[in-house]
Structure formats: structure tokens, C-alpha cells
Amino acid sequence: MSDSSLLILFGSESGNAEDLASIAEKQAKSQGLSPTVKGMDEIEIGDLAGSKNVLIYCSTWGEGDMPDNAIDLWEAANGDSPPDLEGCNFAVCALGDTSYEFFCQSGKDWDAWFEKQGATRVVDRVDCDVEYDDPAAEFTASALSIFASLGGGAPAESDAVNESDADVAPPVEDSAAEEGESVGGLDDLLSSGDRSLVLLFGSQSGNSEGLASKIAKDAKAYGLEGEVHDMDGFDFNSLSSKRRVMIVCSTWGEGEQPDNAEDLWQFSISDSASRMEGVHFAVLALGDSSYEFFCQSGK
């Protein structure tokens, strides 16, 4: 298998882990990786010996049990001839329910097993409760970024970002306020008023969503409370009452808004859209400089 190959395994009882694996497959392609998604009942334990990068999504069933499609593979993993996984990179997303005693036990077991067999953990395991969307998205974004850097992957779609392909607008000078009013300094903006930071993401393959979630987490270090919102269905006029807004948006195709941002964009340029006096904003635009309309949606 090539260095950019990525085996995405799912152990699933109700379908949640399988859905996450499918989402990861799409995002992996945008990172220049070559993903293959398989249920744990679709491979032999010996197949892992030839895998360079492995991403696992596994739920826990009953009292710490493996889901049905993972039982045979787990038994083989603990048989007489488990494979040597030295040189393999891995990451585990465990799904569970904290109301059960053995929370996320199956994912914990796989995480420990891969390490025992000599594989290298590229990102800490995440243990997701029933509300798993946000932590799983953050985990996936982090893991894929590392897999791509290890395997020589490169962003292949306009929703991917790297240092050269993030178009960041220059900061507004303090003296540039209209009608002679000075813009408050950064310290004032961070310390005064409410503590909310609204983060809106426009995303086609998931990278913008992952970045928005990470920024919300990092904002806590500044005493801010990040609120991550999908642009799809968001009330645009509610922004007029906000103090801090950050937009994380990709560009799709030939300068087009991503699917989940199109309706919000159309409303924003209509006569019904509210003005945004007093709202401080920043935009992180994601794109691909090989396209003519680089980062157009963010712009």
C-alpha cells in the first residue's frame, strides 16, 4: 500500500460508526489521501500488517461488548498469531454511552491493542458520548491532517487548506473607523461585553467545520465562549445583535459557495438583510490556488 493509503475501519451496531467512516472517507480525499472504507467483518486480521495508516471508528454494545460486525476480528486479534504492526500509524474514535459502566470499552480495547502490536498512535483516542457529532468531527479533522502530513497527501479540493492556500484579509487599522470614531483595541474587544464568539462555517467536505470546532475550543483560552453554527438554516439577521463573529468558509467549484452556505449568502445580499453596525468580524477563507476564483466565497 502507498504511503498516502488510509484504511478506515468501522465497528458498528446501529450505523453511527459506519456513517462517521463514510464522512471521513470524503474528507480524506480532500486531503490527498487514498482512503478505503471497510467494515470490521470485511477484512482478516492479517490484512492489517500491510496497512500504513488505519483510522478506526468503533461503537460499544451492551456491557462493554464489541458490535456484531467486529466480534470475529477482535477474536482473531487476540488469537495465537496477531500481526506485527510496527510502522503502522493509527487513530481511534470510540463511540459509547456514559450511562453504561463500560463506556466506549470497544474503542479503548482497539486503541490498546494497536499500541501493543507496535503501531504508532498519531492522535489521542476520543471517547464520544451519545452527542458525538462535534467531538468526532474535531477528531477526524485532526487525525486526517496528521495522516496527510505523514503520507505526503496534499489538499485536492478547494475545501482543503494549507499555509499557502488560506487567504486571510489584512487587519483593519485602528484609525480606519468611519466618522472619526476609533476602533477599540484587541484587549478591549476580548475583555468587554458578552463573552460569546459566533463561528459560522460554510463547508463542502468538512474541513471548514473541523476548523470552526477547533477555533471554538481554542477561544476558551481567551475567556470566550465559542458557538459553532452551520450556515445552513442560520438566522442571518440574528448576527446584528452579536459582538464577535468569525466566518470559516470554503470555495467550491468555480468560485461558488459551498452547498450549506448558498441560502445564507443569498439572504445576506437581499434587501431583507440587517446591517451589522457594532459587529466585529473576521473571515478565514479556504481554497485552492490552482483554481481561478481562489477563496472567492470567503472574499
Side-chain angles (χ1 to χ4, degrees):
M1 301 176 76
S2 66
D3 285 352
S4 64
S5 65
L6 174 65
L7 175 61
I8 304 175
L9 288 177
F10 65 86
S12 188
E13 191 79 23
S14 62
N16 292 336
E18 182 175 3
D19 289 344
L20 289 174
S22 297
I23 292 171
E25 178 188 24
K26 184 176 181 180
Q27 294 180 17
K29 291 177 180 178
S30 75
Q31 296 275 10
L33 294 166
S34 301
T36 300
V37 177
K38 289 190 176 183
M40 289 187 174
D41 56 352
E42 297 177 309
I43 69 166
E44 302 293 332
I45 197 64
D47 296 340
L48 295 176
S51 300
K52 178 67 176 177
N53 303 302
V54 182
L55 181 58
I56 302 107
Y57 295 90
C58 190
S59 63
T60 295
W61 199 248
E63 296 301 323
D65 300 326
M66 289 284 168
D68 285 346
N69 80 321
I71 292 175
D72 289 346
L73 190 68
W74 179 244
E75 290 180 351
N78 291 278
D80 295 333
S81 302
D84 181 356
L85 298 184
E86 185 175 354
C88 173
N89 304 304
F90 79 98
V92 176
C93 178
L95 304 180
D97 184 336
T98 51
S99 66
Y100 286 81
E101 179 181 0
F102 299 101
F103 172 58
C104 285
Q105 189 61 49
S106 294
K108 293 175 181 177
D109 287 343
W110 279 115
D111 186 60
W113 182 84
F114 270 83
E115 182 179 44
K116 179 182 177 182
Q117 299 311 122
T120 300
R121 184 184 296 104
V122 299
V123 65
D124 289 340
R125 185 191 72 247
V126 62
D127 297 334
C128 300
D129 203 355
V130 290
E131 298 294 333
Y132 61 85
D133 288 340
D134 288 345
E138 183 176 344
F139 164 85
T140 299
S142 297
L144 291 179
S145 177
I146 295 173
F147 282 132
S149 67
L150 292 172
E157 299 182 39
S158 59
D159 199 29
V161 61
N162 56 37
E163 291 183 2
S164 62
D165 283 3
D167 187 38
V168 182
V172 177
E173 297 293 338
D174 285 355
S175 60
E178 294 182 4
E179 299 179 2
E181 295 180 2
S182 63
V183 178
L186 179 60
D187 290 341
D188 176 64
L189 176 59
L190 291 175
S191 62
S192 63
D194 71 88
R195 313 307 306 143
S196 64
L197 169 63
V198 176
L199 290 135
L200 287 174
F201 67 85
S203 186
Q204 193 76 17
S205 65
N207 289 332
S208 295
E209 181 177 2
L211 283 172
S213 296
K214 185 178 187 303
I215 292 168
K217 183 177 180 180
D218 292 344
K220 293 180 180 179
Y222 296 91
L224 297 174
E225 294 295 329
E227 304 171 5
V228 179
H229 297 278
D230 191 324
M231 288 188 181
D232 187 20
F234 187 81
D235 178 8
F236 179 85
N237 285 342
S238 68
L239 293 176
S240 63
S241 64
K242 305 300 182 182
R243 180 163 172 78
R244 308 171 188 85
V245 177
M246 185 169 186
I247 308 295
V248 185
C249 191
S250 66
T251 294
W252 199 247
E254 297 301 323
E256 300 164 4
Q257 297 284 337
D259 289 345
N260 77 316
E262 182 61 32
D263 289 346
L264 190 70
W265 171 248
Q266 292 300 326
F267 184 88
S268 73
I269 59 177
S270 72
D271 293 337
S272 300
S274 299
R275 290 183 59 80
M276 298 291 157
E277 286 93 346
V279 178
H280 296 80
F281 76 96
V283 176
L284 175 59
L286 280 66
D288 184 336
S289 55
S290 67
Y291 284 78
E292 179 181 1
F293 299 101
F294 173 55
C295 286
Q296 188 62 46
S297 295
K299 294 174 180 178

